[in-house]
Amino acid sequence: MKKYDRIKSVLKWINNYFTFFLLVAFVITCCTMLFVSILTETLGITLNAENISAAAKVTFWNVVLLSFLFTVIDTVRRKIMVDRPVKQITDAAEKIVQGDFSVRIPSRNQIGSDDTFNRIIDCFNKMAEELSSVETLRTDFIANVSHEMKTPLSVMQNYGTLLQSKDLSEEKRIEYAKGVTDGSRRMAEMMTNILKLNRLENQQIYPKVTEFDLGEQLCECLLQFESVWEKSSIEIDTDIAENVKIKADEELLSLVWNNLFSNAFKFTEEGGTVSVKLTATDNHAVVTVSDTGCGMSAEVGSRIFEKFYQADTSRSVQGNGLGLALVKRVVDIMHGEIGVESSVGVGTTFTVRIRRS
Ligand code: ADP
């Protein structure tokens, strides 16, 4: 096996360097012969066997020497300009294969360095960056899911243990059973949201486009929260333009309104107001959902579309921080825009702008 490898490397060496040596020798010989033949013709010199044999010997060794020199120069050039960057790139690629996504290749700024290598290095570094951010997202996502599941699970465990105690009053039994049901409902909700988000992110959902009345959809979604606003005495203010037909995926879009309304009611104190407004131009429909709730700071506002982000921990029992991530994804799929304006203690307004067709 070793012998075979050695033969292979010799053949490779011949292929790489000896071919180049022969090529240079051939070119120099041709040039020399051309030069000699033109010189003898123009000067009218006739060469005899003695002259030719003496000159041929000197020329032969000159050709060998020059070809050897060029081969050495080319070998060194190839080592520096080609082999070194190729080795850097393959070493880095091997590290990526082993799961080290932090590897980056410095770009080559040497004089005369090949720009193609810099382009490959640029692409490689971008690929490594992308892979490492995907990896961070994946590990963060797993950490977040496990963390979010722990809370309802431990609540359910506690209630389960309490339910096992003897001599429980009927009232306590119902309370503990409700605790178990609430915990499992929360987990089921979170799983549904994770699955929805996963399907949306992997683009397994292709919008089922139909034409429908957006105003009617908004009213239907809003009515689902009737019991909530009645319980908290929240006032509803609607200004919905009539006959605004749009071509979009009705089911996906209802996810957006349900999440925005649910947040508006969740973060608005008793006696507050939630307003819904719909305006339209020929090409776009604009929906604003405003509330007079607790509002949020600019820092919170910049993070609300992140997965699992929840600023208000006191109300976090009612959510899992996935609602707005879902909203953003749906709006993106529809090539729409979503914006938020909010001030602490005053309220929040979400504005969604979508194409009508
Ligand atoms: P959650 O399940 O916690 O509601 P969301 O993704 O829907 O998750 O919202 C993320 C965070 O954005 C919330 O925890 C809250 O801090 C903030 N937020 C969203 N809507 C409002 C609102 N209308 N008023 C104040 N804060 C809001």
Side-chain angles (χ1 to χ4, degrees):
M1 192 69 194
K2 262 190 176 169
K3 201 176 163 192
Y4 176 71
D5 280 350
R6 210 172 298 147
I7 294 170
K8 233 171 102 180
S9 73
V10 170
L11 285 177
K12 204 173 144 202
W13 185 88
I14 292 176
N15 186 35
N16 280 349
Y17 303 111
F18 195 61
T19 318
F20 183 78
F21 174 85
L22 287 182
L23 199 74
V24 175
F26 176 73
V27 171
I28 298 174
T29 312
C30 287
C31 290
T32 317
M33 280 168 71
L34 193 70
F35 175 74
V36 172
S37 95
I38 292 172
L39 197 72
T40 47
E41 250 172 55
T42 42
L43 295 178
I45 303 168
T46 327
L47 295 171
N48 57 31
E50 208 178 306
N51 295 140
I52 293 174
S53 130
K57 265 186 209 155
V58 177
T59 313
F60 173 77
W61 288 115
N62 268 325
V63 168
V64 170
L65 196 75
L66 278 175
S67 306
F68 179 73
L69 204 71
F70 280 128
T71 309
V72 169
I73 292 170
D74 182 66
T75 308
V76 174
R77 184 197 66 85
R78 241 195 274 184
K79 278 256 178 297
I80 296 170
M81 311 288 275
V82 182
D83 292 0
R84 206 178 279 175
V86 166
K87 191 173 175 325
Q88 264 184 322
I89 294 168
T90 45
D91 284 354
E94 261 166 28
K95 280 194 182 155
I96 295 259
V97 170
Q98 284 156 13
D100 176 5
F101 300 121
S102 63
V103 62
R104 300 287 181 276
I105 310 170
S107 68
R108 300 169 53 78
N109 296 321
Q110 282 164 289
I111 303 161
S113 64
D114 192 346
D115 214 35
T116 318
F117 277 118
N118 273 337
R119 280 215 300 280
I120 297 173
I121 288 170
D122 260 6
C123 289
F124 184 93
N125 287 342
K126 274 187 199 142
M127 179 195 76
E129 221 161 89
E130 201 60 31
L131 281 172
S132 82
S133 68
V134 168
E135 180 63 8
T136 319
L137 273 182
R138 195 181 65 89
T139 43
D140 279 4
F141 188 77
I142 292 171
N144 278 325
V145 171
S146 336
H147 176 78
E148 290 293 323
M149 276 170 73
K150 261 187 184 161
T151 322
L153 273 177
S154 57
V155 170
M156 281 157 68
Q157 264 172 7
N158 288 344
Y159 281 123
T161 318
L162 287 170
L163 270 174
Q164 286 168 23
S165 43
K166 287 176 191 157
D167 310 324
L168 266 186
S169 69
E170 185 63 6
E171 197 188 329
K172 284 282 170 207
R173 193 184 58 81
I174 291 174
E175 187 193 324
Y176 299 155
K178 194 172 168 297
V180 176
T181 328
D182 283 350
S184 56
R185 187 183 39 77
R186 231 187 117 192
M187 272 185 65
E189 263 171 26
M190 188 174 71
M191 286 305 159
T192 315
N193 273 346
I194 288 174
L195 288 176
K196 274 184 198 160
L197 202 57
N198 192 36
R199 280 170 69 208
L200 286 173
E201 289 198 328
N202 293 329
Q203 285 285 313
Q204 282 167 15
I205 284 187
Y206 294 99
K208 282 184 237 129
V209 178
T210 51
E211 193 177 22
F212 60 94
D213 190 308
L214 182 59
E216 273 176 22
Q217 187 190 37
L218 283 167
C219 292
E220 276 166 24
C221 288
L222 195 59
L223 278 172
Q224 287 173 26
F225 293 87
E226 195 173 359
S227 58
V228 182
W229 80 62
E230 275 181 354
K231 200 171 145 202
S232 319
S233 318
I234 290 173
E235 209 175 295
I236 301 296
D237 181 10
T238 53
D239 177 7
I240 293 176
E242 275 179 20
N243 215 15
V244 179
K245 300 263 190 253
I246 66 160
K247 281 184 185 155
D249 187 318
E250 199 171 353
E251 203 186 318
L252 272 188
L253 208 53
S254 70
L255 267 177
V256 173
W257 316 134
N258 281 334
N259 276 298
L260 292 182
F261 294 157
S262 144
N263 278 346
F265 290 117
K266 189 160 68 179
F267 294 102
T268 302
E269 304 293 333
E270 271 194 32
T273 307
V274 169
S275 319
V276 182
K277 190 175 170 190
L278 167 65
T279 54
T281 61
D282 284 348
N283 299 321
H284 290 96
V286 179
V287 177
T288 54
V289 179
S290 314
D291 62 64
T292 56
C294 58
M296 58 186 123
S297 65
E299 201 231 317
V300 171
S302 66
R303 299 194 55 193
I304 51 172
F305 297 111
E306 288 173 21
K307 279 176 229 158
F308 294 105
Y309 180 76
Q310 286 184 298
D312 189 333
T313 42
S314 62
R315 287 178 177 84
S316 61
V317 258
Q318 292 182 32
N320 41 48
L322 287 173
L324 287 179
L326 265 170
V327 167
K328 177 84 173 79
R329 187 70 196 124
V330 172
V331 173
D332 284 348
I333 287 177
M334 295 188 169
H335 305 291
E337 287 163 23
I338 181 163
V340 61
E341 274 173 42
S342 186
S343 43
V344 179
V346 179
T348 305
T349 300
F350 281 95
T351 306
V352 180
R353 188 179 142 93
I354 40 172
R355 287 215 302 252
R356 290 185 65 177
S357 55

